[in-house]
Amino acid sequence: MSAAKTKKTVTNETALAEQLREVGLRPTQQRMALADLLFGRGNRHITAESLYNDALTAGVNVSLATVYNALHTFTAKGLLREITIDSTRSYFDTNVDEHHHFYFEKSGRLEDIDHTSVKLARLPEAPDGLPVSRIDVVIRIDG
Amino acid sequence: MSAAKTKKTVTNETALAEQLREVGLRPTQQRMALADLLFGRGNRHITAESLYNDALTAGVNVSLATVYNALHTFTAKGLLREITIDSTRSYFDTNVDEHHHFYFEKSGRLEDIDHTSVKLARLPEAPDGLPVSRIDVVIRIDG
DNA sequence: CCCTAACATTAGAATTATTCTAATCTTATT
DNA sequence: AATAAGATTAGAATAATTCTAATGTTAGGG
Ligand SMILES: [Mn+2]
Ligand SMILES: [Mn+2]
Ligand SMILES: [Zn+2]
Ligand SMILES: [Zn+2]
């Protein structure tokens, strides 16, 4: 039982480490712990501060600066997507597939909208035919 | 000629003051100067810092804190619209009509897209039938 | 008209969000 | 195991934004 648990943990840790190595990142203690918090439980929209608090609660020894470093590094490697919606906080999204968002202004919560739920018709040409890197649709909700 | 010029200036100042009074704001020196810089020349996308620099260049005696105050107050009164696109700076838009944006990631410049140029079809229902306060479409351009 | 009280506005100080960089780790190579 | 090169961490610094106490404005009242 203890052995099984240990084995499972080791396997998970190895998988996580492998995931990080695959994108060219060293599987350090801090990154492993943060990746576990981020990718362990379904899609999430988090802030640096909320992830930092999650880490503190989980007893992970990491600084807020390192949380920022990890979030930006993961974003650069395509493991996260940054969403800017509110000038007082940056959100990071564990769902990196094409999708859009409801934003609840009062609570600051984000909710995914599947990209097939929104049809963008009659899109204008980008100036000079420059490449479009992304189209973001945010539906702001009063509540 | 000098009289005409003075008259015209006074008229402009009076119009500007009236515009401010109409939304319930006192036409103070700082606000008049900032409103003049903001609304004097067509639609603009500005940041607190850029407006502050415009004010310094124009010889207006105003603090950066007051620029923030004015931008937020004007936004609350519907004279401006705040656009959050980049976590490092907040933009304020003198165009308060319904419209969307191209965002040039490299330069940080915003460009208006007329709302009739974008057709949003098949929009999902807001959860709990809550009211939608705004829909923002941002087309991010690499260049 | 001036005074005054109530309230609005300003801006220096404080705070918060984010980034910088020097010290510390990690790892590939021997 | 030792080393060196580069990556990562986190305390310190900075930049963006907000707070609050001082100052300014204005609508009555004398
Ligand atoms: Mn900010
Ligand atoms: Mn900030
Ligand atoms: Zn999402
Ligand atoms: Zn605009």
Side-chain angles (χ1 to χ4, degrees), chain A residues 4-143:
Chain A
K5 189 146 182 282
T6 301
K7 177 115 186 301
K8 187 155 184 290
T9 300
V10 168
T11 303
N12 284 346
E13 279 176 24
T14 303
L16 211 55
E18 202 39 52
Q19 232 193 324
L20 290 176
R21 271 193 240 272
E22 262 164 28
V23 298
L25 297 176
R26 290 180 179 174
T28 63
Q29 292 237 307
Q30 288 90 339
R31 285 216 276 240
M32 294 284 281
L34 294 175
D36 192 42
L37 289 169
L38 281 171
F39 307 118
R41 252 177 223 276
N43 284 333
R44 307 180 59 195
H45 300 108
I46 61 108
T47 64
E49 199 69 32
S50 79
L51 180 58
Y52 180 59
N53 288 333
D54 288 356
L56 290 187
T57 299
V60 174
N61 193 257
V62 67
S63 72
L64 181 56
T66 295
V67 171
Y68 274 100
N69 285 336
L71 289 172
H72 287 139
T73 305
F74 289 177
T75 300
K77 297 300 186 177
L79 302 177
L80 290 176
R81 172 175 150 179
E82 188 169 2
I83 300 172
T84 307
I85 276 199
D86 180 310
S87 58
T88 66
R89 46 196 159 190
S90 269
Y91 289 85
F92 292 84
D93 196 335
T94 60
N95 181 359
V96 293
D97 296 334
E98 183 186 349
H99 69 287
H100 302 294
H101 293 97
F102 283 116
Y103 178 62
F104 299 88
E105 292 177 337
K106 195 165 177 178
S107 66
R109 197 171 59 81
L110 281 170
E111 186 177 315
D112 284 351
I113 301 172
D114 190 88
H115 80 108
T116 60
S117 298
V118 175
K119 180 99 191 296
L120 284 162
R122 229 172 340 128
L123 270 184
E125 281 289 309
D128 300 322
L130 287 166
V132 171
S133 66
R134 197 164 100 192
I135 297 178
D136 291 330
V137 176
V138 175
I139 304 181
R140 287 174 186 264
I141 306 292
D142 255 333

Side-chain angles (χ1 to χ4, degrees), chain B residues 74-141:
Chain B
F74 290 177
T75 300
K77 297 300 186 178
L79 302 178
L80 290 176
R81 173 175 151 179
E82 187 169 2
I83 301 172
T84 307
I85 275 199
D86 180 310
S87 58
T88 66
R89 47 196 158 188
S90 269
Y91 290 86
F92 292 84
D93 196 337
T94 60
N95 181 358
V96 294
D97 296 334
E98 183 185 350
H99 70 287
H100 301 295
H101 293 98
F102 284 115
Y103 177 62
F104 299 88
E105 292 177 336
K106 195 166 180 179
S107 66
R109 196 171 59 82
L110 282 169
E111 185 176 316
D112 284 352
I113 301 172
D114 190 89
H115 80 108
T116 60
S117 298
V118 175
K119 179 100 191 297
L120 284 162
R122 230 174 337 130
L123 271 184
E125 282 288 311
D128 300 323
L130 287 167
V132 172
S133 65
R134 196 163 101 192
I135 298 178
D136 290 331
V137 176
V138 175
I139 304 182
R140 287 173 185 264
I141 306 293

Side-chain angles (χ1 to χ4, degrees), chain B residues 2-30:
Chain B
S2 174
K5 188 148 184 284
T6 301
K7 176 113 186 305
K8 188 154 183 288
T9 301
V10 167
T11 303
N12 284 346
E13 277 176 25
T14 302
L16 211 54
E18 203 38 52
Q19 232 194 323
L20 291 176
R21 271 193 238 272
E22 262 163 29
V23 297
L25 296 176
R26 291 180 178 174
T28 63
Q29 292 237 307
Q30 289 89 340

Side-chain angles (χ1 to χ4, degrees), chain B residues 40-77:
Chain B
R41 251 178 225 276
N43 285 332
R44 306 180 59 194
H45 302 107
I46 61 109
T47 64
E49 198 69 32
S50 80
L51 179 58
Y52 180 58
N53 288 333
D54 288 357
L56 291 187
T57 299
V60 175
N61 192 256
V62 68
S63 72
L64 181 56
T66 296
V67 170
Y68 274 100
N69 285 337
L71 289 172
H72 287 139
T73 306
F74 290 177
T75 300
K77 297 300 186 178

